[in-house]
Amino acid sequence: MKLSETNQSISAGKKEAKAKMSVVDAFSPETAAEYARRMYRRKYQNWGDETRALEEMSFLCGLNPRSLKRLMKGETKDPGIRVFGRIRKAYLDFCSRQLAELQTELEVEKARFGDAHFEDLDREVEALAAKLRAAKETAKGR
């Protein structure tokens, strides 16, 4: 019986190792680069904005502009978990600011046209806010 208990714990240990491995895989350079590119695309809108957007995003991520640009182009092999964490935090903060702007615009429109016109949209925005809070809580736990 002890042998079967041992075998069960080994198989359970393998399952835990696989679960941990998938979490580590989430810290890929491609994921970090995608977060950086998304923020950059939303900031870079007009000719001449590239430098300003790159400097602003690099400041938020705690990197220098050249390092961030190399990451976005895929020239960085492995940014490391610490860099990934900073980029993810900056991305979630960026999303929070975007959501706050959306909520402000929604409040203005509700004041203009009444709450009844925006009930569905208001629920969707609240659901988005809940998902964002959950993502931030998950990021804090790492």
Side-chain angles (χ1 to χ4, degrees), residues 15-95:
K15 288 179 185 176
E16 289 176 22
K18 285 183 182 179
K20 288 179 183 176
M21 189 179 295
S22 65
V23 171
V24 171
D25 292 341
F27 297 113
S28 70
E30 294 82 21
T31 305
E34 182 59 30
Y35 284 151
R37 281 192 294 269
R38 286 179 189 173
M39 289 188 293
Y40 180 74
R41 279 194 302 256
R42 285 179 175 83
K43 279 293 182 184
Y44 178 61
Q45 296 177 3
N46 298 316
W47 182 260
D49 284 350
E50 179 182 9
T51 304
R52 181 191 57 78
L54 193 58
E55 287 175 0
E56 187 175 331
M57 293 299 103
S58 64
F59 176 76
L60 293 174
C61 295
L63 299 170
N64 65 37
R66 176 69 184 135
S67 296
L68 185 64
K69 192 169 189 175
R70 289 186 68 217
L71 177 73
M72 288 190 301
K73 287 184 173 186
E75 296 173 5
T76 304
K77 290 184 182 177
D78 185 11
I81 291 176
R82 295 182 84 190
V83 172
F84 177 83
R86 288 188 301 210
I87 292 172
R88 186 167 193 265
K89 182 184 179 315
Y91 179 70
L92 292 173
D93 290 343
F94 183 80
C95 289

Side-chain angles (χ1 to χ4, degrees), residues 97-141:
R97 287 192 299 277
Q98 295 287 315
L99 184 62
E101 288 178 20
L102 180 62
Q103 287 171 328
T104 301
E105 287 181 23
L106 185 60
E107 290 300 319
V108 168
E109 294 303 314
K110 282 172 29 180
R112 228 165 111 187
F113 297 109
D115 289 348
H117 291 64
F118 296 96
E119 287 177 10
D120 292 340
L121 191 55
D122 203 20
R123 279 192 296 272
E124 288 182 35
V125 169
E126 190 53 44
L128 265 175
K131 286 181 182 180
L132 189 56
R133 282 191 297 273
K136 283 185 170 188
E137 287 300 317
T138 302
K140 284 182 185 179

